[in-house]
């Protein structure tokens, strides 16, 4: 490996991994469907699996910053945006499977259900917020937003909260349903100032130990 | 409307040989959780069956003209929490469930308590009944059961005049039911008011598609109450008691206030977390409007006074 390639990977590698990360699950899902893997209830299978991927990628995206803080590998934050965009893509597929495949865009049928389908409304809220974040991540839009961009990006926490709530309401398996809020709360907890200070203290203590050992 | 092609349905020979394979595998691996990965896989190479029977597929319909749900879906998509919460995993996990040495103990407020073994159950003249099944989760099937009215069995034990409800219990076997490790108020208990239990549509099924019930469908004997949500149609029954008080069902105990005793199908009364107005017909992949009392209103509406009261649908 040349020196230049190594440098490029150091600068761009994390972002590239983020960009490519969603390809494998997406291809896997399509290939399983094409191979006849979901014979009995493909609508349910595709809907659940795309939804699960969406929330997983959203939580992975939110994990980038705490991971960078803890590991002190700052470039991990480069994966945040591509992982978030994959979350949006899977959430879009999830919403499309629900409206277009399950309900065949039959708004009369959807209308019968939607008022009582509270988890759908919460999920739709999460999806619209992710769509907003996706649109504002377009460079030209972003540069026109100035200080507002950061404020808008913060709604990702609201989107994650709604997504987690959506799963809690829809899920039959309580163990899986509670897994997501627990992870989300843990990720948010890592951002609290006292927790961040504690992590910093721990790290200082350890680096002191290490320096003693090397001496 | 795209129906599943008959070529996509697993012939029974393949299905049965897989069951035998998985029974053997279960013994070898002694790890039921490993099997969940295999459960519910359909498709595969058509292999001639041992006894030459063809997969039971035909063009029959229920009285409303709904085509039968394919055998592969009926036997591969099951809510049977004693094995798994994953509907597609149940068939694989239940494959080794022993159902040959079976007894249904019928007692409580009856004149002639009796334990029915399989021969006793076979002695009831069975007939085929094509009935709609509406799951509370929002999907449905059209299933050709083989069975007989529960009323015949109940008349044999002679309910006492003080009996007002019937309480049913599913088998509980920790050795063969890996799902029992999940935190639910086992055993699975269901109940009917006595007049509901005596209604001709209330069926004790011992077979499906003209064959013995496979374990995932509730072998060797299960209840089918077609105008109520599927949770009422409990599987693999070991105990039936006639009682004076309304029994607390599994879902009344487990469902965090979301399920009541009656559970009669009504598209206008939503579940606390979702609508019941529509349903997806499994096998056809078509969503359609749910029918009041699952289309059996003419037969069973007389059981209930004041049908407008939402109490009947909780």
């Amino acid at each position: 490996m040349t020196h230049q390639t190594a440098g490029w990977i150091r600068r761009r590698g994390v972002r590239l991994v983020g960009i490519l990360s969603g390809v494998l699950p997406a291809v896997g899902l399509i290939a399983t469907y094409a191979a006849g893997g979901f014979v009995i209830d493909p609508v349910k299978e595709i809907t659940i699996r795309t939804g699960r991927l969406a929330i997983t990628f959203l939580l992975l995206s939110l994990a980038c910053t705490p991971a960078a803080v803890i590991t002190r590998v700052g470039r991990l934050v480069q994966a945040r945006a591509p992982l978030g965009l994959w979350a949006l893509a899977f959430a879009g597929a999830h919403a499309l499977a629900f409206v277009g495949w399950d309900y065949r865009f039959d708004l009369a049928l959807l209308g019968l259900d939607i008022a009582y389908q509270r988890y759908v409304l919460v999920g739709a809220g999460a999806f619209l917020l992710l769509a907003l974040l996706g649109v504002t991540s377009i460079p030209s839009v972003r540069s026109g937003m100035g200080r507002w961009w950061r404020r808008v990006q913060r709604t990702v926490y609201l989107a994650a909260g709604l997504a987690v709530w959506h799963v809690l309401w829809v899920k039959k398996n309580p163990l899986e349903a509670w897994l997501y809020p627990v992870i989300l709360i843990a990720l948010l907890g890592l951002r609290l100032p006292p927790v961040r200070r504690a992590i910093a203290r721990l790290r200082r203590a350890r680096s002191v130990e290490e320096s003693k050992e090397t001496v | 409307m795209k129906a599943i092609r008959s070529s996509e349905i697993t012939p029974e020979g393949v299905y049965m040989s897989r069951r035998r394979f998985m029974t053997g595998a279960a013994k070898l691996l002694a790890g039921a959780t490993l099997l969940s990965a295999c459960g519910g896989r359909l498709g595969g190479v058509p292999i001639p069956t041992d006894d030459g029977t063809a997969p039971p597929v035909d063009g029959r319909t229920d009285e409303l003209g709904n085509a039968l749900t394919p055998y592969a879906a009926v036997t591969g998509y099951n809510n049977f929490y004693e094995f798994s919460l994953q509907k597609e995993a149940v068939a694989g996990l239940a494959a080794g469930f022993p159902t040959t040495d079976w007894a249904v103990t019928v007692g409580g407020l009856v004149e002639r308590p009796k334990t029915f073994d399989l021969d006793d159950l076979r002695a009831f003249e069975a007939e085929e009944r094509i009935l709609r099944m509406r799951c509370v989760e929002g999907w449905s099937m059209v299933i050709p059961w083989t069975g007989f009215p529960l009323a015949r069995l109940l008349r044999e034990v002679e309910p006492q005049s003080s009996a007002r409800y019937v309480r049913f219990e599913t088998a509980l076997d920790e050795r063969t039911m890996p799902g029992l490790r999940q935190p639910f108020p086992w055993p699975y208990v269901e109940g009917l008011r006595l007049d509901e239990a005596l209604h001709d549509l209330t069926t004790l099924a011992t077979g499906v598609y003209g064959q013995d019930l496979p374990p995932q469908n509730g072998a060797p004997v299960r209840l089918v109450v077609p105008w109520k949500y599927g949770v009422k149609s409990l599987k693999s029954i070991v105990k039936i008691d006639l009682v004076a008080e309304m029994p607390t069902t599994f879902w009344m105990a487990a469902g965090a206030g979301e399920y009541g005793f009656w559970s009669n199908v009504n598209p206008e009364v939503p579940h606390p977390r979702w609508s019941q107005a529509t349903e997806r017909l499994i096998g056809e992949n078509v969503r359609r409007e749910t029918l009041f009392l699952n289309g059996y209103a003419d037969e069973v509406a007389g059981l209930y006074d004041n049908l407008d009261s939402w109490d009947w649908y909780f």
Side-chain angles (χ1 to χ4, degrees), chain A residues 41 102 104 113 117 169, chain B residues 77 88 273 275 278 285 287:
Chain A
D41 197 354
D102 193 344
R104 316 251 164 151
D113 278 340
Q117 225 82 329
W169 256 351
Chain B
Y77 195 81
E88 293 88 342
R273 284 180 291 141
S275 158
T278 70
N285 279 330
R287 186 172 281 278

Side-chain angles (χ1 to χ4, degrees), chain B residues 256-271:
Chain B
E258 293 187 340
Y259 299 90
F261 179 81
W262 301 103
S263 300
N264 292 307
V265 175
N266 187 339
E268 290 178 12
V269 180
H271 183 275

Side-chain angles (χ1 to χ4, degrees), chain A residues 37 39-45 102-104 109 112-113 116-119 168-174, chain B residues 4 41-42 72-73 76-77 79 81 85 87-88 137 270 272-275 277-278 280 282 285 287 289:
Chain A
V39 175
I40 298 174
D41 197 354
V43 175
K44 186 202 74 175
E45 286 295 332
D102 193 344
Y103 284 83
R104 316 251 164 151
L109 211 55
L112 285 173
D113 278 340
Y116 296 109
Q117 225 82 329
R118 294 185 304 183
Y119 65 86
L168 272 178
W169 256 351
V170 75
K171 224 26 210 190
K172 70 187 270 178
N173 184 344
Chain B
I4 289 184
R41 303 247 49 179
L42 292 174
Y77 195 81
N79 267 326
Y81 278 24
L85 263 62
K87 288 184 274 292
E88 293 88 342
E137 294 170 349
R273 284 180 291 141
W274 59 81
S275 158
T278 70
R280 201 169 57 248
I282 300 296
N285 279 330
R287 186 172 281 278
E289 290 184 37

